[in-house]
Structure formats: structure tokens, C-alpha cells
Amino acid sequence: QVQLVESGGGLVQTGDSLRLSCAASGRTFSSAMGWFRQAPGKEREFVAAIRWSVDRTYYADSVKGRFTISGDNAKNTVYLQMNSLKPEDTAVYYCGVNKRGYYTSSNFYDYWGQGTQVTVSS
């Protein structure tokens, strides 16, 4: 079926940058792809999403101005450029495929990757 693979996570210091990548393979249709993150003991939260048909992007308030989502619809690939990283950004970051909307809600994403760990030390 559909598989998603994230990469680019790692251990960095406060203020550093990382670029995450996610590639989806297999037969699928997506209206959008997005990034979510989950820290230990916390709920999975929305980070950013890109809506293909209108090239529109969405961001959580906590990352707006620091993170940038981009992608290539033809390749079913999305990226997340993360700048000015903070310890509170530490989490497992997941890439997902969305078919119908509600781009900021994890409940409406149909496929997920395995996640990539981002750790920001102070």
C-alpha cells in the first residue's frame, strides 16, 4: 500500500536548523501532506501542511516564522525547513497524507510515516 519515509532528524543545539524530508510511495491521492509531532506524554500536534491544488500552506502558531513547508506534488514529497530550533521543538516528527481536508487535524490523515526524532538541546 502507501508507504511514507521521513528523514533528516537528529540532535542539534538551540538555534540550529534542520531540514526534514518525506517521500510517499504507492498508489495514493492526496489533497495535502503535512507534518505533525509528538513528544513523550503529549498528544500528537499539528506543525505544518501544504495543500497541493492551490499551493497553500498552514502553520501552527508555535512554529510560524521559524518553519517552512514545501514540496513536490509530482514526487509526493514534502520538506520541513526548521530554523531557530528550541528545546520545546523536541519530538518525533511524522509525515502524513490527507485526502479530504481538515489539514490541521491528525484524525483526517490516512497514512503516516514511521517518524524521525528531532532533539534540541539547551
Side-chain angles (χ1 to χ4, degrees), residues 51-111:
R51 186 179 176 186
W52 299 121
S53 63
V54 295
D55 193 27
R56 186 172 297 172
T57 57
Y58 307 81
Y59 296 95
D61 289 340
S62 60
V63 306
K64 191 173 298 183
R66 298 188 298 120
F67 292 9
T68 302
I69 188 171
S70 61
D72 186 337
N73 189 21
K75 297 181 178 180
N76 288 321
T77 301
V78 292
Y79 308 95
L80 186 68
Q81 179 66 46
M82 305 185 295
N83 298 328
S84 302
L85 283 163
K86 307 173 181 179
E88 49 263 47
D89 294 318
T90 296
V92 177
Y93 283 70
Y94 297 92
C95 173
V97 170
N98 184 299
K99 292 184 178 181
R100 297 181 293 173
Y102 297 99
Y103 308 116
T104 64
S105 174
S106 63
N107 293 331
F108 290 86
Y109 282 73
D110 300 289
Y111 305 101

Side-chain angles (χ1 to χ4, degrees), residues 16-77:
D16 284 352
S17 297
L18 283 173
R19 183 175 175 85
L20 306 184
S21 299
C22 173
S25 62
R27 296 187 184 91
T28 187
F29 166 80
S30 66
S31 62
M33 293 182 69
W35 291 95
F36 290 74
R37 66 188 183 186
Q38 187 168 19
K42 304 292 184 180
E43 297 293 323
R44 184 173 296 189
E45 66 174 354
F46 169 76
V47 177
I50 182 167
R51 186 179 176 186
W52 299 121
S53 63
V54 295
D55 193 27
R56 186 172 297 172
T57 57
Y58 307 81
Y59 296 95
D61 289 340
S62 60
V63 306
K64 191 173 298 183
R66 298 188 298 120
F67 292 9
T68 302
I69 188 171
S70 61
D72 186 337
N73 189 21
K75 297 181 178 180
N76 288 321
T77 301

